[in-house]
Amino acid sequence: MSIDDTPRGSWACSIFDLKNSLPDALLPHLLDRAPNEEIDRHNEEQRKANRHRELFALHPAIDEEEPIERHCVPEVPKEHFGQRLLVKCLSLKFEIEIEPIFASLALYDVKEKKKISENFFFDLNSEQMKGMLRPHIQTAAISTLARSAIFSITYPSQDVFLVIKLEKVLQQGDIGECAEPYMVFKESDAAKNKEKLEKLRSQSEQFCQRLGRYRMPFAWTAIHLMNIVNSAGSLERDTELEMSLSERKGSWSERRNSSIMGRRSLERTTSGDESCSLTGFRPATLTITNFFKQEGDRLSDEDLYKFLADMRRPSSVLRRLRPITAQLKLDISPAPENPHYCLTPDLMQVKPYPDSRVRPTREILEFPARDVYVPNTTYSTWSFCRQH
């Protein structure tokens, strides 16, 4: 029977094709066991068998100094620190001493309108004033006795202020009545007004006995931090910078630059062209001689930002406020690399810490104005605590 005798596509044609078709050759060693190394070697030989050697001959050679991909060795994870500033609170003295006064420090960024650190509370009262609150004071932890603080600033700028707030024991009357004795009586007139001062002390003792656990806002002031740092950069150690509201004739930065840094213009310290560095200036002692009376029950952050921005203007409305005369001495310096007797924001001791009974230095938690992306270096088990 011939294929020509059957019509194309018919059943008979299909049978004829099937009977006359030849099988494919069997794959050799298909089911044989072979080690993986032998298979990899055979595949590599097959890839190189028909490879063209001059395939990339026309492509320019790669410059070894500028590789296509650069692999950098990552840094070891470590705790993030900004530029660190050490502030020591030395003394706080008013014209009259009739009751305990409590103070706190914090950093604010006016441009970002953010508080960039937690509060650091410190106590500079005399033993006599502390005795008025003895019925309300339990055994104090050593961390509450700190008078030195280390502030960390990740984004230093010309708009950072150190804000100081004062509080007193809660008493009857508004803040104006409570602050009036501090604005009227002078230390030189203590003998003449002895009876009035004794009456005020007696009233303060009564309030301390009844309301010693409660506080009320009293006064506040602020320091333009970068101006202090820029001014201290050319001063000798332990130079005192006077900040007196009654003496200044322009803004705070104008007055201080004219009296201390006569050779440095105001534009240089406030233009923002200078690099904002907190690591190279010399330590300086500030004497703050005036505070602003607290207006109202509380000072909101929105009002505070307006006041801080206004301090840098020559026609400051704060010049018209009646100040409360006092003397607060602060020592500002770059923080040492390995401070002794230092406590972390979590109140953990940082080595070296030779004696647990010594008054510590507190590290103050930073609230960065912008996000900082760093790996976690501390854990709740406290088994990986930082050591200097």
Side-chain angles (χ1 to χ4, degrees), residues 171-217:
Q171 71 178 69
Q172 296 176 351
D174 60 15
I175 299 175
E177 295 177 357
C178 301
E180 187 67 22
Y182 293 92
M183 296 185 291
V184 174
F185 295 104
K186 303 296 181 182
E187 185 178 7
S188 57
D189 301 333
K192 182 174 62 176
N193 301 313
K194 184 177 180 179
E195 294 183 0
K196 295 181 179 179
L197 293 177
E198 289 295 335
K199 182 179 180 181
L200 290 174
R201 290 192 184 96
S202 177
Q203 293 176 352
S204 299
E205 290 179 359
Q206 295 178 8
F207 289 123
C208 288
Q209 291 178 1
R210 294 167 45 210
L211 305 170
R213 294 186 178 183
Y214 306 98
R215 306 286 183 264
M216 63 181 294

Side-chain angles (χ1 to χ4, degrees), residues 24-38:
D24 295 335
L26 298 177
L27 296 177
H29 311 294
L30 177 63
L31 302 178
D32 294 346
R33 293 182 178 272
N36 295 333
E37 294 79 5
E38 181 67 20

Side-chain angles (χ1 to χ4, degrees), residues 74-82 337 372-379 384-388:
E75 295 183 359
V76 178
K78 59 183 179 180
E79 188 172 0
H80 168 75
F81 288 114
E337 183 176 357
V372 177
Y373 299 100
V374 293
N376 294 325
T377 56
T378 57
Y379 301 86
F384 301 95
C385 293
R386 169 172 57 88
Q387 296 181 2
H388 283 307

Side-chain angles (χ1 to χ4, degrees), residues 2 13 59 86 95 193 197 212 215 230 324 341 363:
S2 174
C13 182
H59 193 278
L86 175 62
E95 293 286 348
N193 301 313
L197 293 177
R215 306 286 183 264
N230 294 336
I324 298 176
Y341 309 105
E363 286 184 349

Side-chain angles (χ1 to χ4, degrees), residues 107-296:
L107 293 177
Y108 288 80
D109 192 320
V110 178
K111 183 177 180 180
E112 299 291 340
K113 291 187 177 181
K114 287 185 178 180
K115 183 179 181 180
I116 59 174
S117 78
E118 66 175 339
N119 291 329
F120 169 61
F121 294 91
F122 59 95
D123 187 358
L124 297 176
N125 292 296
S126 63
E127 293 299 326
Q128 180 182 1
M129 294 294 104
K130 292 180 181 179
M132 299 173 64
L133 296 173
R134 190 164 289 115
H136 304 282
I137 297 178
Q138 305 296 329
T139 302
I142 189 66
S143 60
T144 63
L145 305 180
R147 295 180 179 177
S148 302
I150 296 179
F151 291 91
S152 178
I153 306 178
T154 301
Y155 304 106
S157 68
Q158 297 289 342
D159 302 294
V160 176
F161 281 80
L162 181 65
V163 177
I164 306 156
K165 294 182 180 181
L166 302 182
E167 295 180 333
K168 62 188 298 298
V169 175
L170 181 65
Q171 71 178 69
Q172 296 176 351
D174 60 15
I175 299 175
E177 295 177 357
C178 301
E180 187 67 22
Y182 293 92
M183 296 185 291
V184 174
F185 295 104
K186 303 296 181 182
E187 185 178 7
S188 57
D189 301 333
K192 182 174 62 176
N193 301 313
K194 184 177 180 179
E195 294 183 0
K196 295 181 179 179
L197 293 177
E198 289 295 335
K199 182 179 180 181
L200 290 174
R201 290 192 184 96
S202 177
Q203 293 176 352
S204 299
E205 290 179 359
Q206 295 178 8
F207 289 123
C208 288
Q209 291 178 1
R210 294 167 45 210
L211 305 170
R213 294 186 178 183
Y214 306 98
R215 306 286 183 264
M216 63 181 294
F218 178 53
W220 69 278
T221 190
I223 302 171
H224 192 189
L225 187 60
M226 293 310 302
N227 276 352
I228 299 298
V229 172
N230 294 336
S231 299
S234 61
L235 300 177
E236 296 298 329
R237 184 178 177 85
D238 296 333
T239 301
E240 290 195 0
L241 306 179
E242 296 292 338
M243 269 181 34
S244 175
L245 183 64
S246 59
E247 294 178 1
R248 82 180 149 85
K249 299 180 180 179
S251 65
W252 282 17
S253 56
E254 282 183 297
R255 187 207 58 75
R256 195 181 68 260
N257 283 311
S258 61
S259 61
I260 298 176
M261 299 293 293
R263 297 183 301 274
R264 180 179 295 181
S265 64
L266 175 64
E267 289 78 8
R268 182 182 176 187
T269 59
T270 59
S271 63
D273 295 333
E274 291 188 47
S275 60
C276 299
S277 176
L278 304 177
T279 58
F281 71 98
R282 295 181 180 179
T285 300
L286 278 68
T287 301
I288 305 171
T289 58
N290 286 282
F291 289 83
F292 302 109
K293 181 185 67 174
Q294 178 78 42
E295 299 292 342

